[in-house]
Amino acid sequence: MGDLIEEMPVLYSYWRSSCSWRVRIALNLKEIPYDIKAVSLIKGGGEQHCNEYREVNPMEQVPSLVIDGHTLIESLSIMNYLEETRPQRPLMPQDCYKRAKVREICEIISSAIQPLQNLIVLIYVGEEKKKEWAQHWIMRGFRAIEKLLSSCAGKYCVGDEITLADCCLVPQVFNARRFHVDLRPFPIILRIDRELENLPAFRAAHPSAQPDCPPEVAK
């Protein structure tokens, strides 16, 4: 394993990207040192669209992770790779049913909520309707997640150990607040978010702690 971690991993990240944020949390929880290479999604029409970055990620999105001599894209794929290659400090339960519940929550957030309030979609929807649009899809997804959590949550999303589901949940709650979603109907989501938000790995991954966070936003 020693030869796999000689070079510091490099995470291509944007400070407010929830997909980048998930991966930052997972890296921190697994105590994997990494460098950040910031990719602005807004400067000059978006640095993710430049030819140089397209060679890194043909989808022209963040995050991308260079690790073990490989370049990986898509946040869930990256997190699963980290889990499979660095099983210490596991972020998936041993129990097959609990693993399925973790995947359900991750999939709802990564497939049914986040893509529909992604920057490229909101630009297409237009300034007048983007808040209503984002609220609709976040609320729809959160109703499903709250229902799932009612039967699988312990201290955290699935039982009493932090999992990949928690890595996905916290950034999505942040986005919900950003779009002024009424979160009162989701008490379990709010409780878990409170449990997680001040843990060191989560605090270090927060947008306000990132090197590319604008000074007026940073703590």
Side-chain angles (χ1 to χ4, degrees):
M1 189 67 189
D3 59 339
L4 289 179
I5 56 175
E6 286 178 0
E7 291 189 16
M8 182 86 77
V10 176
L11 178 66
Y12 290 81
S13 171
Y14 179 62
W15 67 283
R16 202 168 61 185
S17 156
S18 61
C19 297
S20 301
W21 188 351
R22 297 170 196 159
V23 175
R24 295 194 301 260
I25 294 170
L27 287 163
N28 293 345
L29 287 168
K30 286 186 170 289
E31 299 183 7
I32 301 169
Y34 61 99
D35 288 327
I36 283 184
K37 189 162 186 177
V39 178
S40 173
L41 302 188
I42 57 174
K43 187 186 298 181
E47 294 176 343
Q48 72 274 25
H49 301 306
C50 73
N51 290 334
E52 180 184 356
Y53 187 68
R54 194 179 297 115
E55 290 299 312
V56 175
N57 187 329
M59 277 299 289
E60 302 175 28
Q61 297 174 338
V62 290
S64 303
L65 182 67
V66 179
I67 189 170
D68 302 338
H70 308 298
T71 301
L72 305 175
I73 67 172
E74 299 295 332
S75 60
L76 290 189
S77 176
I78 292 169
M79 293 193 295
N80 282 318
Y81 178 86
L82 296 177
E83 181 68 8
E84 290 164 3
T85 60
R86 277 84 172 164
Q88 314 90 312
R89 303 178 185 87
L91 295 176
M92 286 291 280
Q94 289 297 310
D95 179 80
C96 290
Y97 174 72
K98 289 181 178 180
R99 292 169 79 90
K101 303 312 286 185
V102 170
R103 292 189 181 103
E104 285 176 4
I105 294 166
C106 290
E107 287 289 348
I108 291 171
I109 292 171
S110 67
S111 300
I113 304 178
Q114 189 277 329
L116 292 163
Q117 40 103 97
N118 207 357
L119 178 62
I120 193 170
V121 174
L122 294 180
I123 290 171
Y124 185 83
V125 170
E127 191 66 31
E128 289 186 6
K129 294 184 177 180
K130 71 177 186 180
K131 180 179 175 181
E132 178 186 355
W133 171 274
Q135 288 178 341
H136 171 79
W137 294 108
I138 293 170
M139 291 280 288
R140 182 177 183 270
F142 272 14
R143 283 193 291 269
I145 291 173
E146 185 77 8
K147 178 69 173 175
L148 290 175
L149 293 175
S150 68
S151 62
C152 70
K155 186 175 183 181
Y156 304 117
C157 283
V158 180
D160 296 327
E161 301 295 330
I162 295 173
T163 67
L164 295 179
D166 301 291
C167 297
C168 291
L169 182 69
V170 168
Q172 191 56 60
V173 174
F174 177 92
N175 279 349
R177 292 191 174 106
R178 181 179 161 215
F179 290 108
H180 307 288
V181 172
D182 181 5
L183 293 173
R184 288 174 296 180
F186 312 113
I188 307 175
I189 289 174
L190 286 175
R191 175 185 63 75
I192 294 169
D193 182 65
R194 285 193 298 269
E195 292 279 2
L196 294 165
E197 63 181 354
N198 288 319
L199 297 179
F202 285 80
R203 291 187 60 155
H206 193 278
S208 63
Q210 302 314 302
D212 56 328
C213 178
E216 64 270 20
V217 178
K219 293 177 181 176

